[in-house]
């Protein structure tokens, strides 16, 4: 075990959607632990190629170890998928995969600070070279802006009260840990036996802001389409409504434009079946969509 464990979601659907073939050229913009990437290399053997990236250094290391057996058939660089055009030629790729959101190690390792389940520093950075952390955000952001963020990115109805409680608390002592933040949220949104922890939505919103997930996705989609050859496919897996709306809006605009540049292969999402849900609870909100370049 190399300590990095992430179960890839919708595996059969991904391979089918990417239309992987022997000798094809593929890009995985969110390589994570290399689960999907390994399957792409197997399906495109003996001479398919894969370019991959991740902004998380741990993921890049884990994926590189996992794909070592495929020797010369891949290249992985650390960085955001919006920068893939810096090293992969435009119009040269058969399919691009973006499996958005967080990896299991990001959630499971307390020191990464993404989770309320175990106490850790309030960090949430996918890329630890970045300066802004969740702690900095909650300790400096104006109350109204924070309420807006928690509402818009988390869909949390009690966003104003949560933001007010955070601002009140940080006036007493700065927020520094995930447990401290989870406790503040829990005081405003009591558990009442709910299945989800009351801080889930707030943590999601802060994570999205710390990592500029909306901005990087919008910029990344345009780059991903640029990488594709005509007939090439863009396959996305989203995990919440904000991401899904961005994908649908992006696809619809390109499909309906005066000179369409994309067509939908699958706009209505593919979701995990009962068997996958049973085996991997974290797949529960995964939605796969497919666009094809014209
Ligand atoms: C759900 S995981 C991917 C798992 C991967 N498909 C596998 O099979 O192991 C999402 C990954 O995307 C990365 N990520 C998120 N946004 C990114 C971005 N803008 N650029 C590059 N990587 C990003 C995260 O660091 C995380 O490792």
């Amino acid at each position: 075990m190399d300590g990095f464990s992430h179960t890839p979601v919708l595996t059969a659907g991904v391979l089918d959607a990417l239309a992987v073939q022997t000798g094809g050229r593929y890009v995985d913009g969110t390589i994570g632990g290399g689960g999907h990437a390994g399957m792409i290399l197997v399906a495109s053997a003996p001479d398919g190629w894969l370019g991959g990236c991740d902004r998380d250094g741990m993921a890049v290391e884990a994926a590189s170890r996992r794909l070592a057996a495929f020797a010369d058939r891949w290249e992985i660089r650390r960085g955001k998928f919006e920068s893939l055009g810096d090293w992969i030629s435009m119009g040269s790729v058969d399919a691009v995969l973006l499996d958005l959101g967080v990896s299991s190690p990001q959630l499971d390792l307390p020191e990464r600070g993404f989770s309320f389940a175990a106490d850790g520093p309030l960090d949430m950075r996918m890329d630890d070279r970045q300066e802004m952390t969740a702690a900095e955000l909650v300790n400096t952001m104006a109350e109204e802006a924070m309420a807006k963020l928690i509402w818009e990115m988390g869909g949390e109805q009690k966003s104003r009260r949560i933001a007010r409680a955070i601002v009140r608390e940080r006036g007493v002592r700065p927020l520094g840990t995930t447990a401290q933040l989870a406790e503040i949220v829990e005081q405003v949104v009591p558990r009442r036996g709910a299945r989800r922890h009351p801080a889930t939505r707030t943590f999601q919103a802060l994570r999205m802001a710390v990592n500029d997930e909306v901005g990087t996705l919008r910029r990344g989609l345009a780059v991903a389409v640029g990488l594709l050859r005509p007939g090439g496919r863009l396959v996305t897996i989203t995990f919440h409504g904000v991401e899904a709306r961005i994908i649908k809006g992006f696809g619809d605009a390109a499909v309906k434009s005066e000179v369409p540049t994309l067509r939908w292969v699958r706009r209505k999402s593919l979701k995990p079946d009962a068997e996958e849900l049973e085996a991997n609870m974290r797949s529960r909100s995964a939605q796969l969509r497919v666009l094809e370049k014209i």
Side-chain angles (χ1 to χ4, degrees), residues 68-229:
F70 298 97
D72 303 332
R73 294 179 49 210
W74 53 267
E75 179 168 352
I76 301 176
R77 296 199 188 179
R78 183 170 182 188
K80 293 185 195 168
F81 47 67
E82 68 201 65
S83 306
L84 283 163
D86 295 350
W87 58 283
I88 298 179
S89 305
M90 292 287 146
S92 73
V93 169
D94 295 304
V96 176
L97 172 64
L98 298 178
D99 175 19
L100 301 164
V102 286
S103 68
S104 290
Q106 286 168 342
L107 285 177
D108 294 338
L109 296 173
E111 65 268 28
R112 300 296 304 263
F114 281 84
S115 171
F116 39 76
D119 194 15
L122 205 43
D123 190 321
M124 301 194 191
R125 288 171 302 170
M126 289 182 179
D127 184 341
D128 63 8
R129 302 169 303 185
Q130 172 186 311
E131 276 185 19
M132 204 205 7
T133 63
E136 186 177 330
L137 203 140
V138 294
N139 285 311
T140 60
M141 202 174 201
E143 181 179 325
E144 204 165 313
M146 190 149 44
K148 189 166 180 276
L149 168 69
I150 296 172
W151 165 242
E152 287 181 355
M153 297 294 132
E156 170 59 67
Q157 296 193 343
K158 298 206 169 114
S159 57
R160 282 177 186 283
R161 289 174 57 193
I162 293 171
R164 199 176 314 139
I166 290 174
V167 169
R168 197 186 313 125
E169 181 69 20
R170 80 187 185 199
V172 182
R173 56 177 181 148
L175 273 68
T177 68
T178 56
Q180 207 183 341
L181 177 61
E183 198 185 310
I184 295 170
V185 178
E186 217 175 330
Q187 278 163 13
V188 178
V189 191
R191 269 185 198 250
R192 291 207 193 98
R195 260 194 318 139
R196 296 219 291 181
H197 188 288
T200 306
R201 293 169 188 277
T202 302
F203 271 64
Q204 175 186 300
L206 292 174
R207 185 204 94 202
M208 291 182 68
V210 167
N211 297 292
D212 182 26
E213 290 180 37
V214 167
T216 187
L217 177 56
R218 287 190 196 285
R219 294 186 294 272
L221 287 172
V223 171
V225 170
L227 294 175
L228 294 173
R229 62 162 172 80

